[in-house]
Amino acid sequence: MDERGLIRGISAILPGGATADDCAVLPHGDELLLLSTDMLHETTDFPVGMTDAEIGWMAAAVTISDIAGMGARPLALLLAAGLDRPERLAGITEGAARCCRTYGASLVGGDTDAHTELTLVSTGLGAAEQVVRRRGARVGDLICVTGYLGGAQAALSGYDDYWQRLIAPRPRVAEGRTLNAAGATAMMDISDGLAMSLHDLLGVNGCGFAVESERLPGPAGVPEAEGRAFALSGGGDFELLFTIPPEHFPVAGVEATAVGRAVAAHGVWADGVPLAAEGYMHRWE
């Protein structure tokens, strides 16, 4: 069983569409409120060598990235910490607060308890007048990504120049808001890898997605074939995947690359070959 299969199994218990996007969206006056939460464990999510402040930054960044993935602005963050050692809390809190300040949000509280393994749960609040959901792609739209892909996986594979890419995610908040205003039709962050994210889009849209691997912006200094593999299935980059009508691209102020198109046939392809849903995912044996 993997986490996506597990979520599908409980989706009927929740309100319609509750599991379809990066954040829950709630009407509130003239705006929409966005809520997202993430759980991170030391052995699976924090590479050996990270400082406590870097761990705190990452915990905040992954949740802020969910808010960015819907084109909203982050407002506040709560951080719950299951601590293996209590003296770690100060550094973790400093890193999380610094990440929040960087993206215009505030760390406003949380919870602590004792745990055998360091476990952090971050819960973020955002707001927007309108959001970009995963559902909304149309046949003929360009498939685009911000920045470049595969850097975090390159670091995990021994390319030390990409260490900061792995441990210090940079949520694309400004880019998400700009793409929202520019007419992006569907959007999400690429925390689990491009291939997995394209399959996530496939699950909620009535079209398919075809990309060309030679167009993928991969990590510099990595052999071409390896870099393309990292760009397709490596997780941890926290860039944005979005679709947009060709006449609206490029978007001023957003560094992005068109890597394919939304197509009528229902599926995901790379270079004309079916692309498996490979990437980062929790599994239970």
Side-chain angles (χ1 to χ4, degrees):
M1 173 69 73
D2 61 58
E3 62 178 304
R4 283 166 172 77
L6 189 66
I7 291 169
R8 284 194 296 270
I10 57 95
S11 61
I13 303 171
L14 302 173
T19 61
D21 286 300
D22 285 317
C23 302
V25 180
L26 303 175
H28 182 72
D30 295 332
E31 286 196 308
L32 300 171
L33 294 181
L34 291 86
L35 296 167
S36 184
T37 191
D38 292 278
M39 181 184 300
L40 301 178
H41 304 281
E42 184 146 40
T43 55
T44 56
D45 296 297
F46 304 131
V48 175
M50 290 181 69
T51 68
D52 289 338
E54 289 167 342
I55 286 171
W57 174 288
M58 179 181 282
V62 298
T63 296
I64 292 173
S65 183
D66 285 337
I67 294 169
M70 297 190 73
R73 66 186 190 279
L75 299 177
L77 191 87
L78 295 170
L79 185 64
L83 296 163
D84 57 340
R85 301 193 310 275
E87 62 269 21
R88 303 185 72 176
L89 183 61
I92 290 168
T93 302
E94 187 280 324
R98 179 163 47 86
C99 182
C100 288
R101 290 194 301 270
T102 299
Y103 295 99
S106 299
L107 182 62
V108 295
D111 190 24
T112 59
D113 68 10
H115 204 287
T116 55
E117 178 187 11
L118 177 66
T119 299
L120 300 180
V121 179
S122 53
T123 301
L125 173 68
E129 293 182 0
Q130 63 178 16
V131 296
V132 186
R133 297 182 179 272
R134 295 183 183 182
R135 182 191 304 272
R138 299 187 292 261
V139 173
D141 282 352
L142 296 176
I143 303 168
C144 305
V145 297
T146 60
Y148 71 95
L149 306 179
Q153 185 61 51
L156 289 171
S157 300
Y159 293 91
D160 293 340
D161 289 347
Y162 290 97
W163 177 249
Q164 287 297 315
R165 176 75 166 186
L166 172 64
I167 68 167
R170 302 287 173 174
R172 302 306 185 191
V173 172
E175 292 88 340
R177 296 182 67 186
T178 300
L179 291 168
N180 186 350
T185 52
M187 189 161 64
M188 64 180 293
D189 77 341
I190 316 177
S191 56
D192 296 331
L194 178 61
M196 190 73 72
S197 298
L198 287 169
H199 277 271
D200 287 338
L201 291 187
L202 182 70
V204 294
N205 283 285
C207 58
F209 303 92
V211 299
E212 300 174 40
S213 64
E214 66 179 12
R215 294 180 176 270
L216 296 177
V222 176
E224 184 177 354
E226 192 175 21
R228 287 184 182 180
F230 292 167
L232 277 172
S233 59
D237 283 306
F238 296 92
E239 296 290 349
L240 298 179
L241 166 65
F242 63 97
T243 58
I244 192 168
E247 62 270 22
H248 293 170
F249 188 82
V251 177
V254 177
E255 178 190 347
T257 304
V259 299
R261 283 188 182 263
V263 296
H266 198 66
V268 177
W269 294 269
D271 306 322
V273 177
L275 179 64
E278 295 179 345
Y280 182 81
M281 184 157 50
H282 295 285
R283 298 179 187 277
W284 292 262
E285 299 300 333

